[in-house]
Amino acid sequence: MKISNASKEVLADFAIGGDGNLWKSRSGSQLVKLFQNLGFRDDKYDSGNGGLPKLGNSKLNTSKSNYVKDRICNITDANLRKLVEQLIAESSDKQEAIELLNGVLAMDNIQLTYNDGIISWVGVKINPKIENEVAFKENEGKVIDAINKAKVSILVAMAWFTNEKIKDALNKKRLEGLRIEIVIFKDGVNRVHGVDLSEFDHIETRGTRGGIMHNKFCVIDNQKVLTGSYNWTTNAEYKNDENVFITIDNDTATKYLSRFFSNSNKSFFQIAIKVFFSNSKI
């Protein structure tokens, strides 16, 4: 399970700390000590000569941010795992720390679990084969089947969402511990007839260009995309002519994930936004 450089840059902020009370705040000398224990034995904090070690051939003083990003981007995989686990161990709220880290690592098809003091790394096997399926009827069953097979995360951008059966399938996965985030259009239809999303991480939003949020797609495990004309509504299932296109394609899923985050503006999306734009098996 490889962690991308984009994710490592976000982890650097967590290692430095100082953002609220969640992460341990570290001074320059403490950061050097941290990375000495993670393989960078020759690093030295020199308070009389700029403090942090110089990077490369630079004669300029090194900032905390640049130092930590450089070390994390050059750390071994084993020591990077040790660092992540140390960040969790030293956080003030381990469950919240896990959730934030999972928001970052989801883009690398990695998730963490924390049970009885034990941290487990869970990888999602990426299917290199592109698989496509199209449905023009009984779309509700196709959607629910895809949700039932989810293992890590379900991200939904749906203009209108009134279908209780699909909501119940999502709720079952929420109770299993999957990461589920939902964006819906902010209008009277969802307000009056929409399903109750109060137990989910969700937002209601307008369109980003002044119109409506008219997207209809779902990204599952960062690999599978469901899209098409089909809103998750009872009318779409029982009255309208609709279609659902299902594709298993990691590159396509990444593009839809990027669009998903551009439709959202709530705090629990901010880590993932930063990952996108700063740059195994279950």
Side-chain angles (χ1 to χ4, degrees):
M1 291 180 282
K2 300 290 289 186
I3 298 177
S4 66
N5 283 340
S7 296
K8 290 177 181 178
E9 288 192 8
V10 182
L11 296 180
D13 292 337
F14 298 165
I16 294 169
D19 184 10
N21 297 316
L22 181 60
W23 306 107
K24 178 180 178 179
S25 181
R26 291 180 171 85
S27 65
S29 59
Q30 288 173 327
L31 288 170
V32 169
K33 183 66 175 179
L34 173 69
F35 285 101
Q36 284 175 343
N37 293 329
L38 293 170
F40 296 91
R41 301 298 297 168
D42 291 332
D43 281 3
K44 179 181 178 181
Y45 187 83
D46 187 350
S47 58
N49 189 28
L52 293 167
K54 302 292 191 299
L55 298 178
N57 296 322
S58 176
K59 296 181 180 180
L60 300 175
N61 291 342
T62 307
S63 68
K64 285 185 182 181
S65 178
N66 287 339
Y67 170 71
V68 175
K69 287 178 182 178
D70 179 83
R71 292 305 183 252
I72 288 181
C73 284
N74 289 287
I75 202 171
T76 65
D77 290 344
N79 280 329
L80 182 56
R81 287 196 183 196
K82 289 181 182 179
L83 171 62
V84 170
E85 292 174 7
Q86 183 172 344
L87 295 178
I88 295 169
E90 295 177 346
S91 67
S92 61
D93 186 327
K94 293 178 177 57
Q95 198 57 52
E96 183 180 352
I98 288 281
E99 291 176 2
L100 285 176
L101 286 164
N102 278 340
V104 175
L105 298 174
M107 303 306 135
D108 299 320
N109 296 292
I110 298 170
Q111 295 282 267
L112 304 173
T113 61
Y114 183 77
N115 294 300
D116 297 326
I118 299 174
I119 300 168
S120 299
W121 293 71
V122 181
V124 179
K125 182 181 179 182
I126 295 178
N127 187 349
K129 180 181 177 181
I130 296 175
E131 301 177 13
N132 296 322
E133 180 182 359
V134 179
F136 297 96
K137 60 181 180 179
E138 299 178 352
N139 294 319
E140 176 186 272
K142 297 289 185 181
V143 171
I144 291 175
D145 181 63
I147 290 172
N148 288 341
K149 292 177 180 177
K151 298 178 180 179
V152 173
S153 62
I154 304 172
L155 307 184
V156 180
M158 193 60 51
W160 293 283
F161 190 176
T162 68
N163 189 308
E164 291 288 346
K165 291 181 182 179
I166 296 178
K167 179 245 180 165
D168 289 344
L170 285 175
N171 195 48
K172 179 182 177 182
K173 287 297 179 178
R174 180 185 68 83
L175 294 174
E176 289 177 7
L178 272 69
R179 172 187 173 214
I180 299 177
E181 297 169 8
I182 302 171
V183 177
I184 62 172
F185 178 44
K186 185 176 182 179
D187 79 331
V189 174
N190 281 319
R191 184 175 65 253
V192 176
H193 302 290
V195 297
D196 180 7
L197 297 175
S198 60
E199 294 184 334
F200 294 88
D201 285 337
H202 77 283
I203 63 170
E204 300 176 11
T205 185
R206 302 286 187 182
T208 58
R209 298 186 298 166
I212 69 176
M213 201 293 289
H214 205 242
N215 282 314
K216 308 169 188 69
F217 66 82
C218 170
V219 184
I220 295 177
D221 294 341
N222 307 320
Q223 298 179 56
K224 181 183 293 185
V225 176
L226 286 69
T227 188
S229 68
Y230 185 73
N231 279 293
W232 290 0
T233 66
T234 51
N235 281 343
E237 179 63 22
Y238 299 108
K239 293 183 178 182
N240 301 345
D241 293 333
E242 304 278 1
N243 70 85
V244 170
F245 176 66
I246 303 173
T247 182
I248 300 176
D249 177 8
N250 203 56
D251 289 341
T252 297
T254 296
K255 294 175 183 177
Y256 272 92
L257 284 167
S258 180
R259 172 51 53 183
F260 177 82
F261 294 122
S262 74
N263 275 140
S264 57
N265 56 12
K266 196 174 179 181
S267 59
F268 58 79
F269 294 119
Q270 295 307 305
I271 296 299
I273 291 172
K274 189 169 184 180
V275 171
F276 265 111
F277 294 102
S278 64
N279 154 255
S280 312
K281 297 181 180 179
I282 290 180

